Amino acid sequence: MIKLSQERTRRLIAVHGWSAVICGLFLYVVVLTGAVAVLVHEIGAWSVGGSKVAEPMAAPVDATLRELIETVPEAQREDVSLFGNAAGEIVAYFHTHQQNPASGNMEDFGTLMDIDPRSGEVLRSREDYGSEVFNAGPGDALDRFIVDLHVNLHLPEPWGLYATGILGLVMLVAAISGLLIHRHLIKDAFVAPRPTGALLEKKDRHVLAGTWGLVFGFVLAFTGSFFSFATALGLPLVAITAFGGDQVAALETLSGTPEASDPAPVPMANLDAIHARSAAEAGSVPQFTSVSHWGRADSQVLVFHAPSEGELTGTTNLFDGATGEFLGVKPSLGTVPSAGTVAFDLMGPLHFGHFAGLLSKIVWVCLGLAMCYVTITGLQLWLQRREEDPLWRRLASSVEVVAYGTPIGLAGAAHVFFLSYGRADTHYWVASGFIGFSLLTIALGLLLPRAALHRTLAGFLGALFVLLPFTRMLLGGTPWAEALAGGNGVVVAMDCVMVLSGVICCRVAAGLGWMPRFAALTPRAAT
Amino acid sequence: MSANTPDTPAGQGRGPLLARWIVAGPLVLVASILVMAGMTAWFPEGAAGINHLAFPILLFPAIWALLFFYALLDARPWRAGAVILALAVANGVPVVSAVQTMMQGAG
């Protein structure tokens, strides 16, 4: 319990309320898409009907790479990046470093190939800068759209990152001011909603969800604004002060790139042997491999691993590219462990919630959705007190439209993805689908009376969710039996999540509450 | 948002309210950016030689939040403004010096 003077409490309440009113709807979009993006790998696998192999990076890749590197221009044979995509393909990016005329920044430039891990066949190939080439395949459209909406609201760089960074700071203000305002934090965590009046009940639910999500909201806001501002603002500024504006030098110091250079040509060590040794050291299959100076005496191989059992953060192993010798564990920043590395390493797991596999991801999704609920109920409370004013009344309709419009847009985009997958440019059609379904929701918001809006939009969203698995399978998506036989239970699980979400929305639309009530157990029934 | 009170604090004139807006808004934003950039000059480098680069970037949201709530909760907005301005100037010196060196190098 924090005691503050009446004057200070008044100021905090004003800041808590006004910051949410001004930025609440944008914040809701960012938090909702963030909650969905926690499952981005699962959504990616579901959208393309599952993974070809369970662990593409565990497949032998050395011989294929040696063949393929001979096919790319010599300038692009400097570095190679390797990772597995959601479809279970190996993605190899042969690249060099050059200035991107569009952004003026030094970037990776080269040829990216999607490779079938079973046959070594190149499925797709494209040449571009690093900022453009990744996640640009037809199967990446849905998950990339969701991530970009969360990360930069699809605004151009760096404005999108500034916008989401500011929204992160607004969320930080809301979380800290919420903590300071709540005089009875423990009591608030166990408050039971009272069915005596709509406003009281809504306030109780807002306080209850807000109290439980307070720490999570703080963590999310802090790490989120860090990720937004780190590259858009922090790195350029730090580079100016410490490196005379040289961002590449700043990055090399942070990443601990060795300065010694030896361009003498030397045959590369076997990558499959390096992967096997790295997997034995880390206790997990490699997630990402970066080869610098391919075929040179100073070549180094970095192999990144997801957190192993009982660990919060992942591991990066360093190998000599020429000899294949294991050089040790490489800290994510610098060359030796430091406090800065530990703090930096914690940012990812805390923001993405991937430190304990699917379980922690589900917890993160639920807490993220609770934050969305807090944002929307907070706005509704603010507007309910001002419903006499026509201007505030109009904003109340906007809250309903955005609250339902964002998931409607996302579900609609998923339908359009399945319609266009393998038939047209999925990236274009996913974006068009989101815009189209959002405009449809806005039109419904303008045409329908407020009393009917809530139920209509909930029903519309429910129908879109329920129909998603059918659209997926009818348009050639992997059937359940085939998915289960191929070890792609995630496809079936995501279909079930869609149907369940749809049923919940349909119940809300029918005025039944989001889940069945067991009369004997509810306080309403007891009184 | 559990407000049941007016939006504008009662018993407070327009002057102090405007001062608080200026201090907690643009001044805090500029100060926190300068503190982040200036920290590279005085923050310990650590064993890996990267702490003075990593921590300013990592702590930027915390620096901003700390200064914002100080500006919001201090009884006298002008006093908070003076403290934050002093912090901004002290950290801005190495930033200005670096920019000048960069400009001379470019020229």
Side-chain angles (χ1 to χ4, degrees):
Chain A
M1 188 161 78
I2 297 149
K3 281 189 178 173
L4 288 168
S5 69
Q6 211 179 358
E7 180 60 34
R8 283 183 172 140
T9 308
R10 256 202 293 267
R11 255 181 255 148
L12 282 170
I13 289 171
V15 163
H16 190 74
W18 277 106
S19 61
V21 165
I22 295 166
C23 301
L25 292 180
F26 294 104
L27 190 60
Y28 167 80
V29 173
V30 171
V31 178
L32 180 71
T33 49
V36 176
V38 168
L39 295 173
V40 72
H41 187 77
E42 287 73 14
I43 291 170
W46 169 72
S47 66
V48 294
S51 185
K52 289 183 175 69
V53 293
E55 298 285 0
M57 287 292 279
V61 71
D62 185 76
T64 310
L65 277 188
R66 283 175 199 275
E67 268 178 42
L68 293 177
I69 201 161
E70 298 300 324
T71 66
V72 300
E74 199 167 340
Q76 297 176 11
R77 297 177 195 170
E78 191 181 344
D79 294 348
V80 184
S81 304
L82 277 180
F83 58 95
N85 67 12
E89 298 155 355
I90 293 174
V91 181
Y93 185 41
F94 303 94
H95 61 274
T96 183
H97 312 277
Q98 65 185 53
Q99 194 176 38
N100 185 344
S103 65
N105 295 330
M106 282 298 286
E107 278 189 41
D108 295 342
F109 176 80
T111 304
L112 185 136
M113 299 178 187
D114 298 330
I115 304 161
D116 189 323
R118 297 164 301 190
S119 62
E121 181 195 352
V122 177
L123 304 168
R124 288 169 294 274
S125 174
R126 48 197 180 273
E127 186 182 77
D128 213 330
Y129 285 93
S131 56
E132 300 293 329
V133 80
F134 289 108
N135 301 318
D140 301 315
L142 190 58
D143 43 326
R144 183 177 173 172
F145 181 83
I146 295 168
V147 170
D148 283 353
L149 187 57
H150 171 63
V151 171
N152 55 29
L153 294 167
H154 288 280
L155 295 171
E157 296 299 344
W159 303 107
L161 288 172
Y162 289 156
T164 50
I166 289 168
L167 289 172
L169 295 180
V170 169
M171 193 171 167
L172 202 60
V173 165
I176 297 173
S177 56
L179 173 73
L180 296 172
I181 291 165
H182 284 163
R183 290 177 176 274
H184 310 287
L185 204 62
I186 307 291
K187 199 175 133 194
D188 283 348
F190 299 99
V191 66
R194 287 158 289 189
T196 47
L199 185 62
L200 254 184
E201 194 176 0
K202 203 167 273 180
K203 185 188 166 191
D204 289 343
R205 289 182 194 280
H206 173 74
V207 168
L208 189 66
T211 306
W212 280 102
L214 208 57
V215 175
F216 178 73
F218 178 84
V219 167
L220 212 62
F222 184 88
T223 52
S225 54
F226 158 73
F227 279 118
S228 287
F229 285 128
T231 50
L233 183 72
L235 189 67
L237 277 174
V238 164
I240 286 172
T241 324
F243 297 91
D246 189 349
Q247 284 191 48
V248 176
L251 261 180
E252 283 182 350
T253 307
L254 275 169
S255 60
T257 307
E259 286 175 15
S261 171
D262 184 355
V266 168
M268 273 296 295
N270 189 303
L271 263 184
D272 297 337
I274 289 177
H275 277 177
R277 172 71 194 274
S278 191
E281 290 289 337
S284 63
V285 171
Q287 220 175 21
F288 184 91
T289 299
S290 168
V291 183
S292 62
H293 299 166
W294 177 281
R296 281 173 42 162
D298 58 357
S299 173
Q300 289 197 327
V301 182
L302 281 167
V303 187
F304 299 78
H305 293 264
S308 55
E309 190 71 33
E311 295 291 327
L312 188 61
T313 57
T315 314
T316 306
N317 290 325
L318 178 64
F319 291 84
D320 186 313
T323 63
E325 184 192 350
F326 176 51
L327 301 175
V329 174
K330 159 87 177 64
S332 53
L333 296 181
T335 48
V336 291
S338 68
T341 312
V342 175
F344 176 78
D345 283 349
L346 284 173
M347 290 287 145
L350 287 176
H351 192 73
F352 307 122
H354 53 27
F355 50 85
L358 196 58
L359 180 70
S360 58
K361 283 187 182 183
I362 291 170
V363 172
W364 250 236
V365 171
C366 294
L367 287 169
L369 294 179
M371 285 292 99
C372 293
Y373 181 78
V374 172
T375 311
I376 292 298
T377 51
L379 272 169
Q380 285 173 334
L381 278 170
W382 177 275
L383 296 167
Q384 215 162 330
R385 289 196 195 94
R386 292 160 179 82
E387 61 188 355
E388 302 304 315
D389 189 324
L391 184 74
W392 290 113
R393 260 207 308 278
R394 211 167 299 153
L395 187 63
S397 298
S398 315
V399 173
E400 297 269 12
V401 168
V402 174
Y404 281 108
T406 312
I408 284 173
L410 291 176
H415 277 280
V416 176
F417 170 83
F418 292 125
L419 282 164
S420 59
Y421 188 51
R423 300 171 187 89
D425 180 357
T426 47
H427 290 272
Y428 171 79
W429 283 106
V430 163
S432 304
F434 181 82
I435 293 168
F437 276 87
S438 301
L439 289 175
L440 187 61
T441 313
I442 292 168
L444 286 173
L446 291 172
L447 293 172
L448 291 173
R450 251 195 84 197
L453 190 61
H454 172 71
R455 285 187 173 192
T456 308
L457 293 180
F460 186 31
L461 177 61
L464 284 173
F465 273 140
V466 168
L467 290 172
L468 261 177
F470 299 98
T471 307
R472 186 184 72 75
M473 283 190 270
L474 284 171
L475 291 165
T478 316
W480 281 16
E482 195 183 313
L484 288 171
N488 288 304
V490 66
V491 175
V492 180
M494 287 299 295
D495 276 348
C496 292
V497 167
M498 294 303 161
V499 173
L500 185 66
S501 307
V503 169
I504 289 171
C505 291
C506 290
R507 283 187 62 87
V508 171
L512 294 170
W514 71 281
M515 66 181 290
R517 291 193 176 202
F518 300 98
L521 299 175
T522 55
R524 192 194 294 261
T527 49
Chain B
M1 270 189 303
S2 50
N4 52 5
T5 50
D7 309 329
T8 310
Q12 192 175 319
R14 285 278 163 198
L17 184 66
L18 184 68
R20 205 176 290 283
W21 269 95
I22 292 167
V23 173
L27 183 60
V28 163
L29 186 66
V30 171
S32 48
I33 289 171
L34 286 174
V35 169
M36 172 173 65
M39 261 176 94
T40 55
W42 56 262
F43 199 85
E45 290 190 8
I50 52 100
N51 285 357
H52 67 303
L53 306 173
F55 273 109
I57 301 174
L58 282 163
L59 292 177
F60 174 69
I63 296 165
W64 179 85
L66 197 73
L67 295 181
F68 176 80
F69 279 100
Y70 171 51
L72 183 73
L73 296 176
D74 193 322
R76 295 180 207 162
W78 290 118
R79 180 176 61 187
V83 171
I84 292 166
L85 190 64
L87 203 64
V89 170
N91 282 279
V93 170
V95 182
V96 172
S97 162
V99 171
Q100 274 179 341
T101 313
M102 216 170 83
M103 303 278 267
Q104 281 165 1

